[in-house]
Amino acid sequence: MAQLDDFKGPEADAAALPDSATLPAELAALYLCITPAQLAELRKSKRPEGRAGNGPSVIRPVEGGAAGPKDPVLYNLGTLREFARAHTAPSAFDTAASTGILGWVSAKLPFFAEREPRIKRGKRVLIGGAWDRADPLREARFVDLAKGRIRFASLTCSEAAASLWADVASHSALAEKGLALLRSETQTIEASLAATAQLAATSNSSTAT
């Protein structure tokens, strides 16, 4: 089974990793747009209520015998792709990104980011949303992620919008969603203020008469 470190030459620059590649649990969870904890639950062979687990099959590295309990759990990418095709419902990340201002400022989402800070140490430069399965560049970015060329960071959309980005178009696409939410919230607050002023005026008028 191919490991990530085995990819050299043309495969290292491929548009997508081959099905034979294996991913550690953290990247496997990211690929499926779920959390590592959710993936750990899915890989259980038996659930507490007795139902069989329905997650991707587990791949454990074996060197001269059975793998120990502390060995990392690896997933075959082909299996992950089959699982993703069979489960096309919006992910928890999709839901969090579309739950209004609360989700915008509180829900942590995975974003692809440049490996090394361009400006100064600790100043991230984002590339795109790692949960967006419709992104045509997502598979290529997983190649870069698997090879250590880029990384991913967990941020709220608010934090991401306030970060630096590698290109203006991607930053603008996310930022506009936040600005639209803020405009909507501002309009709601202004309408409430106007209604309060009208109520106060009506009350004062009634008192005067």
Side-chain angles (χ1 to χ4, degrees):
M1 197 66 66
Q3 300 283 331
L4 296 180
D5 291 341
D6 294 336
F7 300 135
K8 302 182 185 298
E11 280 191 317
D13 296 313
L17 293 170
D19 284 345
S20 58
T22 56
L23 297 181
E26 184 179 37
L27 294 190
L30 180 64
Y31 190 87
L32 294 179
C33 297
I34 59 178
T35 66
Q38 289 171 319
L39 181 59
E41 179 64 22
L42 282 174
R43 72 169 173 256
K44 292 179 180 178
S45 59
K46 291 290 184 181
R47 301 296 180 84
E49 61 272 27
R51 291 185 288 109
N54 60 352
S57 59
V58 177
I59 305 168
R60 297 183 185 277
V62 178
E63 295 182 6
K70 293 185 178 180
D71 287 327
V73 177
L74 300 175
Y75 287 88
N76 178 269
L77 186 53
T79 301
L80 296 178
R81 285 174 173 147
E82 290 177 4
F83 185 87
R85 285 193 292 268
H87 299 77
T88 57
S91 70
F93 294 137
D94 294 319
T95 302
S98 60
T99 52
I101 196 70
L102 179 61
W104 179 265
V105 300
S106 63
K108 293 284 188 178
L109 302 177
F111 288 85
F112 291 117
E114 291 184 353
R115 186 70 185 176
E116 298 297 333
R118 287 194 211 176
I119 312 302
K120 60 182 179 180
R121 188 172 183 83
K123 192 71 172 180
R124 69 178 71 88
V125 177
L126 302 182
I127 301 171
W131 78 92
D132 185 3
R133 288 176 288 192
D135 183 356
L137 297 176
R138 191 168 189 261
E139 288 287 343
R141 284 172 176 161
F142 260 90
V143 174
D144 291 337
L145 184 65
K147 298 300 296 183
R149 297 168 182 159
I150 63 174
R151 61 191 178 95
F152 75 91
S154 294
L155 306 167
T156 65
C157 287
S158 177
E159 291 170 333
S163 298
L164 295 176
W165 284 64
D167 70 277
V168 175
S170 297
H171 192 178
S172 296
L174 178 73
E176 182 51 42
K177 294 178 182 178
L179 292 173
L181 287 172
L182 291 174
R183 285 193 292 268
S184 177
E185 289 295 314
T186 299
Q187 290 169 0
T188 299
I189 293 171
E190 289 175 342
S192 294
L193 284 171
T196 296
Q198 184 177 9
L199 178 63
T202 301
S203 297
N204 291 337
S205 176
S206 298
T207 302
T209 58

